[in-house]
DNA sequence: ACCTGAACACCGTTCAAGT
DNA sequence: ACCTGAACACCGTTCAAGT
């Protein structure tokens, strides 16, 4: 992993160097600058448009210059994802354990929605920054508090994350012309009479993902509370 | 969308043509044969290895021959995903509505696990085959039966699918060297004392995804039942 | 230590030509 | 109708060379 030390050249005490030989037309490359530029391309034009060559052009450097700050394209993409997650603040002081959990996943969701085209990167991240352990710790602590054993608490955590990321992955793909079952029914491509109950649902207005998310978290929390308390001294390991 | 009519050359009544000029060394290309070969490469070597050129080589044809049966690489990938979903049998005759729902998502999960490297394709499918409406119909019908209004029933369905696909996406990425928090803690890369409750969970043996899945579905069903019955005449639209 | 240009081994897809 | 080879405009990355 090639990491530049260029950042350490920044003058101490925050004073700008006044008599440097010549004001650089293009500021020196940095891992941070490379990642930031990559995120801009990703946000604006999508993952397919993010090539090393295009990124280099935007930074007015040769493609190979990037490899001084990033060891491969894979490292670049992982760096973007890690950076986004590392900046999220998951903490919440609410005394209600349900609200603490809810706040975690809301924070994760909002961080992802700020960069929709990076969601897939976050989902496929390989080495996680330490901050991702915060929601895990908060959730397992809260569930332990209501009597869940460690294994069930962890399962509860995975249930919540996987739902959150799963919905994000779906939501972010928009605008669901051919993907959204409601849209598909409405467009008449599918035989409505074969699916009477969906037909009913299809009369609903625009789908509100935020409401669906809050509904989902609420239902999960209610289910976890019921199941974990019910089985407090008798963990549901062999359930099928 | 280029679709070949080569399949219609198959002799009627299932009789093989005995005096065809010469037994072809390489059977004629077909959309089905192209998709099948692509799935084999995908299963064996992953998405990155699935190029039009490599696929053509495996079929002993020129890369351009593929374009007679598939309009683009995108069409190829979508075709694989649609094919996998279309073959799933979601039906279940169990009188218990919970079991009918459970069977749906178990079927979806198992179909995906049979082709782990195709999961990402299934998640990002654009036009869905009609069969994907079956779990939706079964779920919304079941939830309607216990008193949910159409909107909440649909939210319940999305909760279940997004969890199922979200966990699949995570599970399939394995083997979680740097991604699994438990592994990360165990490897000592993270300060265990900062996360006492996870530390507890880290004492658990190998993670069982199937159990986690069943646990998740159970918790969701319990939560949905409680919430939907409780709010039968008072849908939770503005919940936050 | 950082950057460059040329080159290598790949891509997906267009095009004109063959049967 | 189906297939081909050559070509185009791209990729990520290696290498040898420059400062």
């Amino acid at each position: 992993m090639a990491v530049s030390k260029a950042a350490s050249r920044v003058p101490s005490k925050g004073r700008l160097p006044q008599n440097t030989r010549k004001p650089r037309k293009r500021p020196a490359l940095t891992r941070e600058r490379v990642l930031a530029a990559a995120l801009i391309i990703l946000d604006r034009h999508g993952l397919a448009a993010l090539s090393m060559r295009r990124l280099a052009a935007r930074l007015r450097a040769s493609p190979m210059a990037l490899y001084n700050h990033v060891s491969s394209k894979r490292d670049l993409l992982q760096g973007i994802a890690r950076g986004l997650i590392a900046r999220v603040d998951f903490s919440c002081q609410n005394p209600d354990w349900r609200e603490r959990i809810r706040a975690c996943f809301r924070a994760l969701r909002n961080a992802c929605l700020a960069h929709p085209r990076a969601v897939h990167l976050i989902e496929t991240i390989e080495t996680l920054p330490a901050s991702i352990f915060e929601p895990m710790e908060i959730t397992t602590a809260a569930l332990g508090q209501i009597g869940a054993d460690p294994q069930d608490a962890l399962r509860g955590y995975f249930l919540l994350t996987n739902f959150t990321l799963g919905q994000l992955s779906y939501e972010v793909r928009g605008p669901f012309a051919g993907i959204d079952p409601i849209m598909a029914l409405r467009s008449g491509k599918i035989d409505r009479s074969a699916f009477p109950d969906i037909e009913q649902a299809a009369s609903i207005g625009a789908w509100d993902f935020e409401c669906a998310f809050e509904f989902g978290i609420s239902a999960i929390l209610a289910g976890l509370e019921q199941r974990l308390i019910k089985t407090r001294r008798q963990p549901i390991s062999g359930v099928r």
Side-chain angles (χ1 to χ4, degrees), chain A:
Chain A
M1 189 100 50
V3 174
S4 147
K5 284 176 185 166
S8 61
R9 260 199 252 120
V10 168
S12 54
K13 314 241 170 184
R15 199 166 46 80
L16 283 170
Q18 297 218 283
N19 294 335
T20 305
R21 296 165 231 180
K22 191 190 273 187
R24 286 167 186 269
K25 201 160 194 180
R26 183 250 281 163
L29 289 181
T30 307
R31 178 168 237 258
E32 284 73 46
R33 268 179 43 75
V34 169
L35 292 181
L39 182 57
I40 288 173
I41 295 177
L42 181 61
D43 281 342
R44 291 195 191 152
H45 306 103
L47 188 57
L50 177 51
S51 73
M52 297 300 274
R53 294 170 126 102
R54 178 164 181 171
L55 175 56
R58 153 167 272 266
L59 290 163
R60 267 177 278 132
S62 106
M64 288 319 298
L66 303 177
Y67 287 85
N68 289 312
H69 307 94
V70 129
S71 67
S72 63
K73 185 175 186 185
R74 179 188 169 105
D75 179 35
L76 174 81
L77 299 181
Q78 294 281 317
I80 296 174
R82 285 176 59 89
L84 290 178
I85 290 299
R87 275 178 237 128
V88 182
D89 178 19
F90 294 103
S91 65
C92 173
Q93 306 303 329
N94 200 304
D96 184 351
W97 63 272
R98 288 177 208 77
E99 287 309 313
R100 284 201 302 280
I101 291 180
R102 196 183 281 273
C104 269
F105 293 97
R106 201 135 61 189
L108 177 61
R109 174 177 158 78
N110 289 334
C112 288
L113 286 180
H115 300 276
R117 304 177 116 155
V119 167
H120 178 234
L121 258 36
I122 291 173
E123 281 178 322
T124 57
I125 207 169
E126 279 159 10
T127 25
L128 296 152
S131 74
I132 201 64
F133 289 84
E134 284 173 38
M136 194 176 188
E137 172 67 18
I138 291 169
T139 306
T140 51
L143 295 180
Q145 192 179 303
I146 64 166
D149 67 274
Q151 172 146 308
D152 283 347
L154 211 50
R155 284 174 176 161
Y157 164 74
F158 277 112
L159 169 51
L160 286 156
T161 355
N162 287 332
F163 162 64
T164 303
L165 287 175
Q167 163 157 341
L168 235 11
S169 156
Y170 177 83
E171 175 173 359
V172 132
R173 226 175 312 147
F176 318 105
I179 208 186
D180 188 333
I182 302 178
M183 295 274 181
L185 278 177
R186 214 173 285 158
S187 73
K189 280 188 199 164
I190 309 274
D191 178 17
R192 297 165 86 116
S193 62
F195 301 101
D197 286 84
I198 300 177
E199 223 285 300
Q200 257 196 302
S203 63
I204 292 169
W207 185 253
D208 184 331
F209 280 105
E210 200 183 334
C211 279
F213 169 72
E214 298 289 344
F215 173 91
I217 298 287
S218 297
I220 291 173
L221 290 177
L224 284 176
E225 194 171 1
Q226 185 198 306
R227 275 195 88 76
L228 295 182
I229 288 178
K230 194 202 277 180
T231 62
R232 194 184 298 220
R233 296 279 66 151
Q234 175 198 347
I236 40 181
S237 304
V239 68
R240 275 205 61 128

